[in-house]
Amino acid sequence: MAGAHLPICSVIFSGLLCFVYFYKKRIKLVENNVFSVMLIVSVIDSILVSVLQLISKNGIQGFESVIVEVFNKLDFITLIMFTNCLFLYTMLITYDRVRKNFGKIFKLSAALDFVVIIFVLLNNVEVISKGGNYSIAGASIFITIVLCAIY
């Protein structure tokens, strides 16, 4: 359970942040829409990581490894989405020209995300166990890291 404390705190903090953000009335701006998606993805990611930590606290055997692989791939997808939103949000608040061409930039980044997500889903994630510690390896991780670095 010790490994789950931080992700559970993240779920609570992200949930409270979402509650405060969505409780208040907002101006209809593209930046606010992107930030809203980023907040929701952050909560989903926190929940996924918390579940992964709770599943693996007593070890991973048999069918649990399939669940861990699926949850890790979902986690990679949320990381890609979060990084894309962070990129778009930063571009929107930094450059005025981006607001005028946001549709093109959004379509390009969404197409790139879609292609990478397909690769993530088709490639493997291996669960590595060493003395009670668990890690993951595989092509899906590498692909996710590369796209996040590009953003």
Side-chain angles (χ1 to χ4, degrees):
M1 182 75 175
H5 288 143
L6 186 61
I8 290 172
C9 288
S10 176
V11 170
I12 294 168
F13 180 77
S14 299
L16 288 172
L17 192 60
C18 276
F19 175 76
V20 170
Y21 181 77
F22 289 114
Y23 183 74
K24 297 182 78 172
K25 194 167 185 122
R26 292 168 311 285
I27 300 171
K28 300 247 185 221
L29 295 173
V30 178
E31 298 99 308
N32 289 346
N33 292 338
V34 172
F35 189 77
S36 297
V37 172
M38 196 166 36
L39 279 177
I40 293 168
V41 169
S42 174
V43 170
I44 293 169
D45 184 57
S46 298
I47 292 169
L48 286 170
V49 172
S50 296
V51 170
L52 278 167
Q53 288 291 327
L54 293 172
I55 287 173
S56 63
K57 74 176 183 166
N58 292 327
I60 300 170
Q61 297 124 9
F63 186 69
E64 290 174 341
S65 64
V66 174
I67 294 171
V68 168
E69 182 176 346
V70 169
F71 271 64
N72 273 304
K73 287 185 179 186
L74 291 173
D75 183 44
F76 298 153
I77 292 169
T78 59
L79 288 173
I80 291 167
M81 291 173 62
F82 182 83
T83 307
N84 184 9
C85 288
L86 187 61
F87 166 74
L88 293 172
Y89 184 76
T90 303
M91 294 296 285
L92 279 167
I93 64 173
T94 305
Y95 302 108
D96 289 331
R97 292 184 312 217
V98 171
R99 187 181 313 276
K100 296 173 190 163
N101 297 319
F102 183 74
K104 292 177 187 175
I105 295 169
F106 176 76
K107 287 177 185 175
L108 180 66
S109 67
L112 181 62
D113 284 357
F114 180 75
V115 170
V116 171
I117 287 170
I118 295 298
F119 279 117
V120 165
L121 292 173
L122 293 177
N123 283 292
N124 64 330
V125 173
E126 297 175 39
V127 178
I128 301 169
S129 173
K130 271 194 175 180
N133 294 324
Y134 292 94
S135 184
I136 52 174
S140 292
I141 299 165
F142 180 74
I143 294 166
T144 303
I145 290 171
V146 168
L147 181 65
C148 291
I150 289 170
Y151 279 133

